[in-house]
Amino acid sequence: ILNVEQSPQSLHVQEGDSTNFTCSFPSSNFYALHWYRWETAKSPEALFVMTLNGDEKKKGRISATLNTKEGYSYLYIKGSQPEDSATYLCAFSSGTYKYIFGTGTRLKVLA
Amino acid sequence: DVKVTQSSRYLVKRTGEKVFLECVQDMDHENMFWYRQDPGLGLRLIYFSYDVKMKEKGDIPEGYSVSREKKERFSLILESASTNQTSMYLCASSPMMTGGGYTFGSGTRLTVV
């Protein structure tokens, strides 16, 4: 059974703090790893699609890294702001229609 | 702006009712998906469709059916709603079968009483 795990489940940080979370996924049959941000009452929004081992992607203050050999990806947020408060989801693809989603990391940034 | 639109944000239905959740996308995507999200669990795939009138079961299809009569519309049907189907339902679409990433709707929170 393929399993995708995210940690921590939730965290609270102060405005201005930097933070990071982890997505662990099967290291075999890797095709792609997706990160989404899901704000309350909104649609999950695509952040990154990562396909190559060693990939690093950046979007403003948010960046992500990928290690397919050991099966993990990190998402970093530099200088967290209240508007970063959301649930961050990762999804693993082995090349089929079926993405396996993690349970998400719920981030709350306190002003 | 590309959109996946779900017809209702909140829905309350009675046990035993037949429930329709509608999803429409305007991106000409071939693939459409229905997921449910429950506390402590990842998004779980109920059904997906890769073409008009084509459908495949996901991980948890029991108690659900789907309909895709037109490319842009994918409906999830709860034949006889039960309380364990109380959940957040998310519709998504993608332009290709693999690796393309999803565009999601904003979800329908269904409560069955």
Side-chain angles (χ1 to χ4, degrees):
Chain A
I1 296 175
L2 297 178
N3 208 30
V4 174
E5 295 183 354
Q6 290 188 247
S7 62
Q9 226 173 3
S10 66
L11 74 163
H12 292 69
V13 302
Q14 291 295 133
E15 183 176 358
D17 285 352
S18 293
T19 187
N20 65 85
F21 0 108
T22 306
C23 173
S24 301
F25 53 85
S27 56
S28 59
N29 299 316
F30 177 86
Y31 185 85
L33 194 283
H34 297 256
W35 281 100
Y36 293 88
R37 174 171 59 200
W38 191 4
E39 295 178 69
T40 304
K42 294 187 178 178
S43 312
E45 170 201 0
L47 285 174
F48 304 115
V49 181
M50 311 187 78
T51 55
L52 297 175
N53 185 44
D55 249 358
E56 288 191 34
K57 299 262 175 121
K58 190 174 179 184
K59 187 175 181 179
R61 294 178 291 97
I62 304 177
S63 60
T65 61
L66 179 69
N67 183 325
T68 60
K69 294 188 189 306
E70 295 181 42
Y72 64 84
S73 175
Y74 293 139
L75 190 81
Y76 301 91
I77 302 179
K78 186 177 176 182
S80 304
Q81 299 297 308
E83 58 265 30
D84 296 327
S85 298
T87 296
Y88 291 82
L89 292 171
C90 67
F92 166 83
S93 170
S94 60
T96 70
Y97 68 88
K98 190 173 169 177
Y99 287 22
I100 313 247
F101 282 84
T103 54
T105 293
R106 184 176 294 181
L107 173 67
K108 177 74 175 174
V109 182
L110 306 169
Chain B
D1 211 14
V2 295
K3 281 272 194 292
V4 175
T5 303
Q6 294 184 230
S7 53
S8 304
R9 177 75 184 134
Y10 297 98
L11 214 50
V12 180
K13 294 292 181 181
R14 294 194 180 279
T15 302
E17 273 193 80
K18 190 168 186 175
V19 181
F20 293 85
L21 303 184
E22 306 287 347
C23 176
V24 177
Q25 51 100 358
D26 64 1
M27 296 164 285
D28 202 35
H29 285 172
E30 288 77 22
N31 308 312
M32 296 187 75
F33 307 83
W34 275 106
Y35 284 86
R36 64 178 280 177
Q37 165 81 17
D38 299 290
L41 300 174
L43 292 177
R44 293 182 292 165
L45 181 64
I46 304 170
Y47 267 98
F48 88 104
S49 168
Y50 53 89
D51 202 352
V52 175
K53 296 191 188 295
M54 305 304 289
K55 61 187 178 186
E56 285 201 21
K57 294 179 181 179
D59 296 320
I60 51 165
E62 296 78 21
Y64 303 95
S65 61
V66 290
S67 171
R68 193 158 180 209
E69 297 296 318
K70 294 185 178 181
K71 190 175 185 180
E72 67 270 19
R73 186 180 295 270
F74 191 36
S75 303
L76 181 70
I77 304 156
L78 286 66
E79 297 291 342
S80 177
S82 64
T83 54
N84 62 14
Q85 293 178 309
T86 291
S87 187
M88 168 67 84
Y89 290 88
L90 273 177
C91 175
S93 71
S94 74
M96 63 182 74
M97 184 59 70
T98 60
Y102 294 165
T103 302
F104 283 96
S106 56
T108 296
R109 185 164 293 281
L110 172 67
T111 302
V112 183
V113 298

